[in-house]
């Protein structure tokens, strides 16, 4: 019987090794798998390459993972904001490597990994430092830069509901990078607020099929700084 429900966050994260490339979903505070990130801090894997839209907020979540000294390199599109002091300090002191990628390119590079695409040409970044020394090509009179897929050893994502087969349903904007990251990683771990009985999820609402998911962990709903689910008055 296929049952991908993990007993705990710790069980789900067991086996993540030093030097792994970890894809972490989320956009700001929307869809951040906070419990999995906290669990990764406790798990102890180090020398990680982390792929996320930004480089952490405040002192919690991804910022806590950076502060713990577990991340060697971060690949993201938006590393600096008002509360990115942890990343700023590490980067300025030379303790973390940054690969800056335009947001659309980041999403497409991850998607390409899941789709089995070896490389693709994209116009964004042409003529700037972001293009580096990569190959360029003129196509129909427009200049493009060669981009390569971003593969992950593991993806940590947050969904709304799931079943024991690993089928996932997301909540609105919390979906963001979750589906493409699930496809691009060798192992995908997802948190859900509700575990549905097998066969009760409407197939039309399943965004990530269970074939891309390896472990599902149920978590409680909590309020976030940006609002999210509020506790009853």
């Amino acid at each position: 019987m296929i049952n991908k429900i993990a007993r705990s966050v710790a069980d789900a994260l067991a086996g993540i090794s030093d030097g792994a490339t970890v894809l972490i979903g989320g956009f700001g505070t929307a869809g951040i798998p906070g419990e999995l990130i906290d669990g990764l801090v406790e798990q102890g894997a180090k020398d990680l390459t982390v792929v996320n839209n930004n480089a952490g907020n405040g002192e919690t979540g991804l910022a806590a993972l950076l502060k713990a000294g577990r991340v060697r390199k971060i690949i993201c599109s938006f590393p600096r904001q008002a509360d990115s002091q942890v990343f700023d300090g590490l980067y300025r002191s030379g303790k973390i490597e940054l690969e800056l990628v335009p947001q659309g390119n980041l999403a497409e590079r991850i998607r390409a990994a899941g789709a089995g695409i070896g490389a693709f040409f994209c116009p964004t970044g042409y003529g700037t430092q972001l293009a580096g020394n990569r190959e360029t090509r003129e196509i129909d009179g427009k200049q493009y830069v060669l981009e390569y897929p971003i593969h992950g050893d593991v993806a940590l994502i947050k969904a709304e509901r799931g079943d024991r087969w690993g089928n996932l349903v997301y909540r609105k904007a919390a979906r963001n990078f979750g589906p493409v990251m699930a496809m691009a990683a060798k192992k995908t771990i997802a948190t859900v607020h509700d575990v549905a009985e097998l066969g009760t999820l409407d197939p039309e609402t399943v965004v990530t099929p269970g074939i891309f998911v390896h472990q599902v962990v149920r978590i409680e709903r909590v309020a976030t700084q940006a609002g999210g689910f509020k506790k009853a008055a």
Side-chain angles (χ1 to χ4, degrees), residues 11 27 38 103 112 124 136-137 139 160-161 179 191 232:
D11 284 352
F27 189 103
D38 292 344
Q103 192 174 81
T124 307
T136 61
R137 183 175 298 183
I139 303 173
E160 175 71 8
R161 304 182 71 205
T191 59

Side-chain angles (χ1 to χ4, degrees), residues 9-226:
V9 167
D11 284 352
L13 296 174
I16 297 178
S17 61
D18 294 350
T21 295
V22 184
L23 314 180
I24 300 179
F27 189 103
T29 57
I32 284 284
E35 290 80 2
L36 294 178
I37 299 172
D38 292 344
L40 188 57
V41 174
E42 294 294 324
Q43 191 260 7
K46 59 182 183 299
D47 198 32
L48 302 173
T49 295
V50 167
V51 183
N52 184 253
N53 185 63
N54 68 340
N57 301 87
E59 303 281 334
T60 61
L62 182 53
L65 185 64
L66 269 60
K67 189 173 183 179
R70 304 291 170 72
V71 181
R72 177 186 65 82
K73 176 181 179 180
I74 189 162
I75 303 174
C76 68
S77 64
F78 192 55
R80 297 196 64 199
Q81 55 272 339
D83 58 352
S84 61
Q85 64 270 12
V86 173
F87 168 79
D88 278 1
L90 292 170
Y91 184 71
R92 292 177 186 278
S93 61
K95 296 180 180 178
I96 193 169
E97 181 182 348
L98 169 67
E99 181 178 342
L100 186 62
V101 183
Q103 192 174 81
N105 292 27
L106 182 68
E108 186 63 8
R109 288 178 65 187
I110 298 168
R111 191 198 70 83
I117 296 172
F120 62 94
F121 283 94
C122 183
T124 307
Y126 175 79
T128 73
Q129 292 182 2
L130 294 180
N133 295 319
R134 295 196 301 279
E135 178 185 344
T136 61
R137 183 175 298 183
E138 182 177 331
I139 303 173
D140 291 334
K142 191 171 184 178
Q143 297 293 336
Y144 292 79
V145 180
L146 185 65
E147 296 280 2
Y148 290 95
I150 298 175
H151 296 269
D153 294 302
V154 62
L156 307 181
I157 62 176
K158 180 178 181 178
E160 175 71 8
R161 304 182 71 205
D163 60 24
R164 66 175 175 84
W165 280 2
N167 297 306
L168 301 179
V169 176
Y170 298 89
R171 182 177 187 266
K172 301 181 179 180
R175 175 191 304 186
N176 53 72
F177 287 87
V180 292
M181 286 185 170
M183 294 175 64
K186 296 175 183 176
K187 179 179 182 179
T188 295
I189 303 168
T191 59
V192 298
H193 294 303
D194 298 308
V195 176
E197 290 295 325
L198 199 62
T200 61
L201 292 177
D202 181 354
E204 295 296 328
T205 67
V206 173
V207 179
T208 297
I211 193 172
F212 298 115
V213 180
H214 301 80
Q215 299 261 249
V216 175
V217 187
R218 184 185 176 278
I219 60 170
E220 297 295 330
R221 301 182 192 276
V222 296
T224 66
Q225 290 182 340

